[in-house]
Amino acid sequence: MFPKINEVLYIQIASADEKEEHKEYKSRIADTDDDSFLIEVPMQQGNSRLKRLFFGEELSISYMNESGVRHYFNTYVTGFEEDVVRLVRIRKPLPDEISKIQRRSFLRVHASLELAVQCDDLTRAVVLTEDIGGGGLSIYIEPDVKVQEEQKLKCWLLVPYRNGSIDHVQFEAEVVRIKKLESGRELGMLKFSQITDSERQKVIKFCFERQLDYRMK
């Protein structure tokens, strides 16, 4: 059922950028343990460019078994190892999470969180998120907030946890797309451009807790 050492993996990366999300990368399993696969740094199909992955980044992976049947699973980056070459550690799925059908449901959750943003001209505003994940988030853009595609924003996110504690997550993000909703409002899709592993981990922790809440309902 599980892919084996030296097996080739085909990877797509969760991104608010639709062009990026449709790119396919290829990697190989270098090692495995009870909880993880260690894979080589992925290489883009067609041009052989290496793809740098970040902690918490969400991946959709496929591979062919010995019978030639393609299997799929979703996972995320849990760390890195420095061997002869740099290796990426990804979460090993549970057996029932491996499917013959592609399911692009990444670890992205709907959440209305307060996000303070600072634009290039140093103007600041507070907006609400629509969803959030380990690679980025979507925000509602109010008429008085001047945001455009490819713009860089400094951000401070208020993250509440189940135990009642609240964290502040600081990062920089790039606006990759602005979408007009049927309601007339605009939705800005942002990807993290600069975020520390510790700050990204706070976001992932919130997403896991929110997913757990959904499953318990």
Side-chain angles (χ1 to χ4, degrees), residues 29 59 66 74-75 83 98 105 128 165:
I29 297 178
L59 313 174
E66 295 173 352
N74 291 338
T75 185
D83 200 349
I98 298 176
S105 54
L128 293 177
S165 65

Side-chain angles (χ1 to χ4, degrees), residues 28-114:
R28 191 180 301 273
I29 297 178
D31 202 357
T32 183
D33 58 32
D34 290 342
D35 303 313
S36 308
F37 293 122
L38 280 164
I39 66 172
E40 297 171 355
V41 175
M43 184 178 295
Q44 186 175 345
Q45 295 272 61
N47 62 21
S48 300
R49 291 178 183 170
L50 294 177
K51 175 64 176 177
R52 182 185 179 190
L53 295 178
F54 296 93
F55 182 85
E57 202 149 28
E58 304 151 47
L59 313 174
S60 176
I61 290 181
S62 67
Y63 62 95
M64 303 284 284
N65 68 5
E66 295 173 352
S67 303
V69 178
R70 187 176 287 265
H71 287 72
Y72 301 88
F73 64 90
N74 291 338
T75 185
Y76 55 92
V77 177
T78 60
F80 303 91
E81 300 283 340
E82 298 294 342
D83 200 349
V84 178
V85 296
R86 184 174 174 84
L87 299 175
V88 182
R89 183 177 291 275
I90 62 174
R91 173 186 175 269
K92 181 185 286 186
L94 299 174
D96 62 2
E97 294 174 339
I98 298 176
S99 172
K100 295 178 184 177
I101 302 172
Q102 188 172 20
R103 297 171 298 187
R104 296 295 299 278
S105 54
F106 294 108
L107 183 64
R108 185 172 285 264
V109 297
H110 289 285
S112 182
L113 305 179
E114 287 189 359

Side-chain angles (χ1 to χ4, degrees), residues 120-168:
D120 296 335
D121 61 2
L122 301 183
T123 58
R124 292 194 178 198
V126 175
V127 298
L128 293 177
T129 64
E130 196 273 337
D131 65 21
I132 186 169
L137 67 165
S138 298
I139 62 170
Y140 290 108
I141 302 174
E142 303 302 332
D144 59 335
V145 180
K146 304 301 180 184
V147 173
Q148 56 190 1
E149 293 181 1
E150 299 185 3
Q151 187 174 359
K152 299 289 180 63
L153 302 173
K154 291 185 178 180
C155 304
W156 296 264
L157 180 70
L158 202 63
V159 180
Y161 298 118
R162 298 176 76 195
N163 63 5
S165 65
I166 295 176
D167 242 329
H168 293 82

